[in-house]
Amino acid sequence: MAINLCFSHFILGHISLFFINTLNIATYIHRGSLDTILIKPVNPLFQIINERVDEDSWGDLLVALLLLIIVDFQLNNPWYITVMFIFISLFTSLIFLSLAVLGNTVALFSNGLANLAETTFDFFEMSKYPLTIYSGLLKVIMTFIIPIGWVASIPQERIVDKHEWAG
């Protein structure tokens, strides 16, 4: 369980540091400033993501990395397990980025759902816990429809418990 929490907070550090501005896309829409981003000759998503970086999250990221290394050392895991967790966390933070962009896309086409992108952080809270505590239907939804199970539970189970990562 400790490795799951360290892994989840390491992913949150990535999200907070690099992708925090994706939560503001609905604000751009409601203020009318999205048009100025769309007419520039740069990819709009790239521009929105790189417009703001949360510098305070460097501390969160470093503490989570330190805790991940300490927990792996306490569990007598080989060094490559820690490297695998770091590598996988980069891609799982992209899953959260896609969920935030998906929520903002829905907000673009509907005026009343501006806070839908913030549910990404609610999904993050659900990903802190292993999939085994959820019921069968919710487990299927969290694995295949909303890929929250791929964020922390499945990598943690495959790598730490079984020491494998290939099918």
Side-chain angles (χ1 to χ4, degrees), residues 72-141:
D72 271 348
F73 182 73
Q74 292 285 329
L75 292 173
N76 295 324
N77 286 335
W79 64 271
Y80 58 86
I81 297 294
T82 306
V83 172
M84 288 297 296
F85 273 127
I86 293 169
F87 184 71
I88 289 172
S89 70
L90 297 173
F91 291 105
T92 54
S93 61
L94 292 176
I95 291 174
F96 277 114
L97 171 66
S98 66
L99 289 174
V101 170
L102 181 67
N104 281 303
T105 303
V106 171
L108 177 67
F109 293 111
S110 64
N111 287 332
L113 298 174
N115 293 329
L116 192 60
E118 293 178 10
T119 59
T120 304
F121 285 103
D122 295 334
F123 291 149
F124 175 76
E125 291 297 322
M126 292 176 70
S127 73
K128 288 182 181 178
Y129 304 103
L131 280 176
T132 55
I133 68 168
Y134 298 109
S135 67
L137 179 63
L138 193 56
K139 193 183 300 185
V140 169
I141 290 172

Side-chain angles (χ1 to χ4, degrees), residues 3 8 22 33-35 38 50 60 67-68 71 77 83 87 89 93 101-102 110 116 120 127 133 148 156 160:
I3 195 81
S8 295
T22 56
S33 58
L34 185 65
D35 295 336
L38 292 174
N50 291 319
D60 296 338
L67 286 175
L68 185 66
V71 168
N77 286 335
V83 172
F87 184 71
S89 70
S93 61
V101 170
L102 181 67
S110 64
L116 192 60
T120 304
S127 73
I133 68 168
I148 299 169
Q156 183 263 335
V160 173

